[in-house]
Amino acid sequence: MDERIDPDELLAAVGFDTDESVLTRRQAEVLALRENDVRQSDIGELLGTSRANISSIERNARENVEKARQTVAFANTLTAPVRVDIAVGTDIYDVPQTVYAACDEAGVEVNYGSSNLLQLVDDAVDGAIQQDTVQVPLRIDVTNDGVVHVRERAAERTE
């Protein structure tokens, strides 16, 4: 391990504030070190705990980050003027035109080209697209400033 890596310095450099974060300080330390390619076993040594505990802390931290992202996306979409539902079985190449048409109707300019929009959909929900077909029901919201948020309509997911 690179002995020069100091978790306190890493957190200070990114402005981490325990009072303003959904992460605990320990979770933030572990994530910061992992993002700097420090192995879990080395982090355990540095922080005086086991690799298994570091693994658990990292997993919980990443879950918290994902929940925070989903919460922000939800809050941003509450006022989004464009909401498009994409049904299971939809050809993925029909999605951009559907979104663009809804945006045109609402007078909102989308900040993404077709290929970027498709990538955003594919990245947003695990398993959303397989063989060019939407596999889970999706909601695509576009904010007034053209930012696109994609999320699964969880209540309707079919396995």
Side-chain angles (χ1 to χ4, degrees), residues 1-3 5-11 24-34 38-58 61:
M1 178 179 78
D2 187 345
E3 297 299 328
I5 295 180
D6 179 359
D8 292 329
E9 288 177 13
L10 289 174
L11 295 183
T24 65
R25 180 164 184 82
R26 183 56 53 107
Q27 288 174 334
E29 289 171 336
V30 170
L31 285 183
L33 289 165
R34 292 292 286 149
V38 180
R39 296 181 323 191
Q40 289 178 341
S41 58
D42 292 335
I43 296 171
E45 285 180 31
L46 179 67
L47 300 180
T49 189
S50 67
R51 189 216 54 82
N53 188 40
I54 295 301
S55 177
S56 177
I57 292 168
E58 181 179 359

Side-chain angles (χ1 to χ4, degrees), residues 17-111:
D17 182 350
T18 304
D19 294 335
E20 299 294 325
S21 178
V22 297
L23 298 176
T24 65
R25 180 164 184 82
R26 183 56 53 107
Q27 288 174 334
E29 289 171 336
V30 170
L31 285 183
L33 289 165
R34 292 292 286 149
E35 291 301 317
N36 280 276
D37 298 321
V38 180
R39 296 181 323 191
Q40 289 178 341
S41 58
D42 292 335
I43 296 171
E45 285 180 31
L46 179 67
L47 300 180
T49 189
S50 67
R51 189 216 54 82
N53 188 40
I54 295 301
S55 177
S56 177
I57 292 168
E58 181 179 359
R59 181 180 57 255
N60 289 335
R62 293 194 187 281
E63 287 173 1
N64 286 346
V65 168
E66 183 55 30
K67 285 179 183 178
R69 281 188 184 124
Q70 292 299 323
T71 300
V72 169
F74 170 74
N76 287 338
T77 61
L78 287 175
T79 59
V82 177
R83 289 193 175 107
V84 178
D85 290 332
I86 306 296
V88 171
T90 300
D91 185 308
I92 190 60
Y93 297 107
D94 292 339
V95 171
Q97 188 55 42
T98 302
V99 172
Y100 295 147
C103 287
D104 287 347
E105 187 175 311
V108 173
E109 186 175 327
V110 181
N111 294 335

Side-chain angles (χ1 to χ4, degrees), residues 134-150:
V134 175
Q135 300 296 312
V136 297
L138 299 173
R139 159 86 32 96
I140 300 176
D141 300 298
V142 184
T143 65
N144 282 315
D145 53 354
V147 176
V148 175
H149 297 279
V150 181

